[in-house]
Amino acid sequence: MTAKGNGGFSKSRKSKTTAASATGSTGATTNPGAGPSSEISRRQFLSHSSGAALTAGAAALVGSQPGFVRAAAAAKPFRVAMLLPSFDQRRWKAADGAFFLKRAKELGMDPLPLQSSNNDPILQASQIENLLNQNIDGLVLVAVNVDAAVASVRKANDAGVPVVAHNYIIPNVKLCGVSARDGVELGRYLGKILLDAAPKGNWVVNKGDEGTDIARLKAEGGLEMIQAQIDNGDIKIVSDQWMRAWSGDLSRKQMEQALIATNNEVAAVLSYCDCQAYGIIEALRAQGLNGKVPVTGEDGEPEMLKLVLQGDAMVTAWTKFDEMGTRSAELIYECLAKEPSKAPDRVDNGAGEVPWYKAAIENITKDGQGYKAKSVAQFAEENPWWVTKDELGL
Amino acid sequence: MTIESQGRVAAPVESAADTVGEQRSRFRDRLATVPVEQLRALSLVGVLLVIWIIFQILTDGLFLSPRNLTTLSVQVAMTAILAAGIVMIMAQGYIDLSIGSAVAFTGMVATLVIDPTRGLGWTTDPVAIIAITLLSGLAIGAWQGFWVAWMRVPAFIATLASLLALRGAALTVTGGSTTSHHGTLSFLAADFVPAHWTALAILALVLLFALVKHRDWRARVAVSKGVSFLAHVGLPVAVLAIFGIGASLVAFSYRGAPLPVVILGIVVAVVTFVMSRMSFGRRLYAIGGNPAAARYAGVNIEWHCFLVFAFMGVLYGVAGLILVSRIGVAVPTAGTGLELTVIAAAVIGGTSLFGGMGTAVGAVIGALLLESLNNGMGLMNVESSFQLIVNGMVLLVAVYFDIRGRKRT
């Protein structure tokens, strides 16, 4: 399921450099569409504002240390909470949330019930205040909007409550851990596997909601993979659109128009969301082209997996949301128990290096063929909590 | 000039323009007897034709190809059906903000009835599924009508509550999952009515329209002089006939008439009949124009309000079925913001936000105008953000002209 919240930066780049210097270069990759210019200006704005934010934050950080002591000294189990952006997508409750709760209990912590912020950054800010008033020891936060979350994280730090950023990196404020995926990498996975299937011809690019960072990151990664082919003329992008509210109906319309404009000469469709790929496949079906034109998607939704099995869709990309939830529980535990982190990577979010667990990505295809792909059957076997082989008729 | 909001029963006009010159004033008088909404619909058709011709040139003849026109007609069907329905609500001065959520909800009901793993798996019989879906829509509409009519909750709030609650309900029931109808309902979006049947139906429609118009005209001539045959009968019938011939040609040269468009035709015919021929519909305008006066005149406002919301509910079901058949699955977040497109279409088509005015035909043309812009720009691969700007500006300009036109009358 595609994350619709606002937030998440180009993490691979971020890890090499500080936020302030990265801000100018992150959006530099060419990207036709309105993405790059607005992205850069937003990030440049961030880099300017971060100076002031850091100074203000520094004072707050000093005060945050005693809180760790309090939590560690308590004999009671750590009270931790996870705040999700919405329950709009199955992943939040069934994957990220469920596995966080499971691991937290295994580690002897006392997790509060999952809460959703209804995609509303203002609601999320007051929810965090309420959680702080309930004397939680640690918070795992999926920011609805990463910039808006900065103030809340600072407030938590002031109260001595460490914060793990889940799914999106929250910039320029002290975090105790990050469990997130790399949106650009996700785009690369889809771009690469589709390029191998259709190295030449007319491509349709079906992007997510332009108002969300994750849509822009995925689009950036996908484009990166095919830029050389676009430049040398092997690939012609005949339609390239952002889809408001990740709409499947709009996606069907985009596909219908692209098929009319090219007289059905479309070689491949690079779609970044299962929710949109459904509409595209139906548009192809109306012209008897389903299964003949490779279509990508992302989220590993059961209905999409069925289409992959039928051959109507080529691939759906999957992020290990379950592991993300598990690692967030471990990261927050390490912070509270003052243990050194076992996370393999470090990322600089602009306020220092933070332990980073980077969630694994994989492509799922019918028989496991293609770039970093595994078969639907194997996927279902490994993730029975998400979809069973029975359900897929395997 | 004094013209009642609904023109048709308007008294002959004593125009101040009489002094300007006999010839001109006579023409004006005659024009003034033409229903305002008919004039507006005609001018809207003119704007639509201009847009179509511009796109025809910009897309090197792709836009007016039979295939694209057929595609366009299906693309607009769902919005247009809802726009035709909301006219009945807006004519009374109410509003409906629940459309997007309600359509997503009914679509979800349709798939849950079928789906054995995530849903109930009751039946795979299309007739039963359609009946259950329409009933679920009816229930939502009746619920809203109840709160607006008898509980006196403003429609804005009652339907806003549904907008939130139904979205939440869809998410709770599915846990955020996508559910599928496994092709059971695909025929709704994929099937076509053969071209010869389409042409016959259109011919019958044009004849019926001409008959009705002619009867109206005769009735008017009986009470006042100077009622132009050309303006009252000739022009509207000619426009409809040309449109009908065009539609028939498109049907013959592609695959026929798509099922969603046939459904749209039925909905528009029903709403138009009710609104212009039945006293029930005429009272809706009276309620919107002046609720107090309508009440003194003995109109049961509550009952009218309830019935109209309930009818709109059935249309949620119709739209939900078309939506899931078009994308193959029900996504709980589908239809986000749909209500605003529908309201925009109705307003562009001459429906007043304050009640008392509006026709289903106008609303459908409004929807067609918005969808034509998206369709044409999609053919040209214009950036999506730019499409939004164009849609916004068209809405603004259309409503501006609407208000200006109303002041003059």
Side-chain angles (χ1 to χ4, degrees):
Chain A
M1 318 221 132
T2 314
K4 294 177 192 174
N6 232 341
F9 283 170
S10 176
K11 287 124 205 170
S12 55
R13 288 146 199 248
K14 273 278 158 62
S15 64
K16 293 178 201 129
T17 164
T18 65
S21 61
T23 43
S25 66
T26 318
T29 330
T30 47
N31 187 353
S37 58
S38 61
E39 216 174 332
I40 290 170
S41 64
R42 202 179 77 90
R43 288 175 183 181
Q44 278 169 344
F45 166 77
L46 247 181
S47 74
H48 290 307
S49 61
S50 67
L54 270 179
T55 338
L61 289 180
V62 180
S64 76
Q65 297 310 320
F68 285 73
V69 179
R70 177 183 65 86
K76 287 187 295 181
F78 300 124
R79 271 164 71 87
V80 291
M82 185 183 209
L83 201 44
L84 299 167
S86 71
F87 292 150
D88 280 13
Q89 299 157 290
R90 186 162 164 248
R91 65 166 280 200
W92 295 124
K93 227 182 205 172
D96 303 68
F99 283 83
F100 167 79
L101 293 179
K102 184 165 167 269
R103 187 69 182 138
K105 282 171 192 156
E106 281 170 11
L107 290 166
M109 297 193 286
D110 171 24
L112 297 176
L114 298 169
Q115 285 188 43
S116 139
S117 303
N118 279 336
N119 290 319
D120 180 353
I122 301 166
L123 173 65
Q124 187 166 62
S126 51
Q127 283 173 323
I128 293 171
E129 282 176 359
N130 292 342
L131 285 170
L132 294 176
N133 290 340
Q134 291 173 47
N135 288 323
I136 53 164
D137 298 308
L139 175 67
V140 175
L141 178 63
V142 188
V144 170
N145 180 309
V146 285
D147 301 324
V150 171
S152 293
V153 174
R154 201 169 290 137
K155 214 173 270 178
N157 284 337
D158 286 348
V161 174
V163 178
V164 168
H166 185 95
N167 205 54
Y168 309 109
I169 299 180
I170 301 167
N172 304 322
V173 66
K174 183 176 162 58
L175 297 171
C176 84
V178 171
S179 175
R181 64 172 168 183
D182 186 333
V184 179
E185 189 67 18
L186 201 52
R188 289 192 195 113
Y189 269 60
L190 292 176
K192 178 74 175 110
I193 196 169
L194 190 60
L195 180 64
D196 291 344
K200 281 185 182 179
N202 292 333
W203 275 44
V204 172
V205 181
N206 170 252
K207 299 178 288 193
D209 190 320
E210 194 178 5
T212 62
D213 275 344
I214 186 69
R216 292 198 297 268
L217 294 172
K218 288 196 274 193
E220 186 188 331
L223 187 70
E224 200 179 286
M225 287 289 117
I226 56 170
Q227 191 62 55
Q229 282 70 21
I230 294 173
D231 292 343
N232 70 20
D234 281 353
I235 288 177
K236 188 178 170 218
I237 306 286
V238 289
S239 176
D240 182 7
Q241 301 281 335
W242 302 99
M243 293 294 119
R244 219 172 337 131
W246 308 82
S247 163
D249 192 39
L250 271 185
S251 300
R252 174 167 179 154
K253 288 175 183 172
Q254 181 195 2
M255 197 62 215
E256 286 171 340
Q257 297 317 95
L259 287 171
I260 291 171
T262 59
N263 200 18
N264 288 356
E265 292 293 319
V266 171
V269 185
L270 181 56
S271 173
Y272 293 103
C273 182
D274 289 350
C275 53
Q276 298 176 179
Y278 300 127
I280 285 167
I281 290 165
E282 289 309 308
L284 288 169
R285 197 189 304 281
Q287 294 296 320
L289 291 170
N290 53 316
K292 295 178 185 146
V293 179
V295 179
T296 64
E298 191 242 313
D299 288 347
E301 286 193 355
E303 291 305 330
M304 185 67 170
L305 292 172
K306 287 178 195 163
L307 292 172
V308 171
L309 282 174
Q310 287 165 20
D312 291 342
M314 187 185 79
V315 60
T316 175
W318 169 256
T319 311
K320 293 194 169 174
F321 302 125
D322 49 337
E323 275 191 40
M324 264 169 78
T326 304
R327 302 300 174 191
S328 278
E330 289 171 359
L331 283 166
I332 196 76
Y333 180 79
E334 287 163 356
C335 292
L336 293 170
K338 303 191 106 184
E339 286 178 7
S341 180
K342 290 185 277 292
D345 294 305
R346 293 290 178 274
V347 62
D348 190 333
N349 74 329
E353 291 232 315
V354 184
W356 179 26
Y357 171 73
K358 192 158 90 177
I361 301 166
E362 53 201 27
N363 278 327
I364 312 167
T365 58
K366 189 177 178 181
D367 45 15
Q369 298 294 305
Y371 179 73
K372 299 200 178 178
K374 65 171 51 164
S375 69
V376 175
Q378 196 192 339
F379 172 78
E381 205 151 289
E382 289 172 8
N383 302 283
W385 56 273
W386 180 257
V387 63
T388 62
K389 287 176 120 179
D390 273 359
E391 198 180 325
L392 296 172
L394 283 167
Chain B
M1 291 181 260
T2 54
I3 292 179
E4 280 187 34
S5 61
Q6 267 316 291
R8 279 182 216 288
V9 284
V13 170
E14 288 170 281
S15 171
D18 277 344
T19 52
V20 177
E22 209 180 316
Q23 198 84 28
R24 210 171 139 198
S25 86
R26 239 176 51 199
F27 174 72
R28 277 191 149 197
D29 279 359
R30 286 182 171 193
L31 206 59
T33 61
V34 177
V36 178
E37 301 191 347
Q38 189 171 302
L39 278 181
R40 187 182 291 131
L42 285 177
S43 64
L44 208 57
V45 169
V47 174
L48 191 64
L49 285 179
V50 170
I51 290 173
W52 281 14
I53 289 165
I54 291 173
F55 275 130
Q56 174 74 353
I57 295 163
L58 291 177
T59 59
D60 293 327
L62 274 180
F63 187 85
L64 292 180
S65 66
R67 179 174 165 189
N68 189 51
L69 288 177
T70 306
T71 307
L72 171 65
S73 69
V74 187
Q75 288 174 342
V76 78
M78 185 179 70
T79 322
I81 287 169
L82 293 164
I86 204 175
V87 166
M88 296 181 85
I89 289 179
M90 290 172 73
Q92 293 176 88
Y94 300 120
I95 195 82
D96 184 357
L97 298 179
S98 71
I99 294 172
S101 298
V103 168
F105 187 89
T106 55
M108 186 200 69
V109 168
T111 58
L112 286 182
V113 169
I114 303 166
D115 198 321
T117 43
R118 286 180 199 290
L120 304 161
W122 280 349
T123 175
T124 51
D125 174 22
V127 177
I129 295 159
I130 290 170
I132 292 171
T133 309
L134 296 185
L135 280 175
S136 73
L138 177 66
I140 296 168
W143 164 262
Q144 292 181 156
F146 166 76
W147 283 95
V148 177
W150 288 294
M151 296 291 112
R152 302 287 158 107
V153 175
F156 188 97
I157 299 299
T159 57
L160 179 65
S162 298
L163 178 149
L164 300 169
L166 289 173
R167 186 71 72 192
L171 288 167
T172 309
V173 171
T174 61
S177 301
T178 299
T179 47
S180 168
H181 57 77
H182 304 302
T184 319
L185 296 172
S186 295
F187 72 95
L188 276 176
D191 282 9
F192 290 83
V193 172
H196 52 276
W197 286 115
T198 310
L200 271 179
I202 291 174
L203 183 67
L205 187 73
V206 173
L207 287 179
L208 185 72
F209 183 72
L211 207 70
V212 168
K213 281 283 160 195
H214 187 253
R215 226 186 59 170
D216 272 6
W217 175 74
R218 286 230 321 247
R220 265 158 207 263
V221 169
V223 292
S224 68
K225 283 175 190 149
V227 180
S228 155
F229 177 82
L230 192 68
H232 267 87
V233 187
L235 200 56
V237 172
V239 168
L240 189 71
I242 290 169
F243 172 79
I245 291 168
S248 304
L249 285 177
V250 167
F252 274 113
S253 39
Y254 196 56
R255 296 177 181 174
L259 218 46
V261 180
V262 175
I263 299 170
L264 169 64
I266 294 168
V267 170
V268 171
V270 168
V271 175
T272 304
F273 179 78
V274 170
M275 297 290 271
S276 59
R277 300 277 136 194
M278 285 174 68
S279 52
F280 176 84
R282 312 302 308 158
R283 286 190 216 116
L284 297 180
Y285 292 114
I287 294 169
N290 190 336
R295 192 178 289 282
Y296 286 130
V299 176
N300 186 340
I301 294 180
E302 288 80 6
W303 193 236
H304 283 76
C305 168
F306 176 79
L307 283 181
V308 165
F309 270 99
F311 176 73
M312 187 69 187
V314 177
L315 296 187
Y316 300 151
V318 173
L321 286 165
I322 293 176
L323 179 69
V324 293
S325 63
R326 263 176 70 74
I327 56 178
V329 292
V331 183
T333 54
T336 307
L338 180 63
E339 54 279 347
L340 297 183
T341 312
V342 170
I343 293 170
V347 170
I348 289 175
T351 306
S352 167
L353 281 166
F354 307 104
M357 288 187 102
T359 61
V361 173
V364 170
I365 299 172
L368 193 54
L369 201 142
L370 286 176
E371 201 60 54
S372 297
L373 292 171
N374 292 335
N375 177 294
M377 289 190 284
L379 277 182
M380 296 162 63
N381 190 26
V382 173
E383 217 169 88
S384 29
S385 44
F386 186 72
Q387 296 187 22
L388 285 180
I389 297 174
V390 171
N391 279 346
M393 290 302 116
V394 167
L395 176 64
L396 187 70
V397 172
V399 174
Y400 166 72
F401 278 113
D402 190 33
I403 288 171
R404 226 181 59 153
R406 202 164 303 168
K407 265 187 195 151
R408 257 191 316 192
T409 56

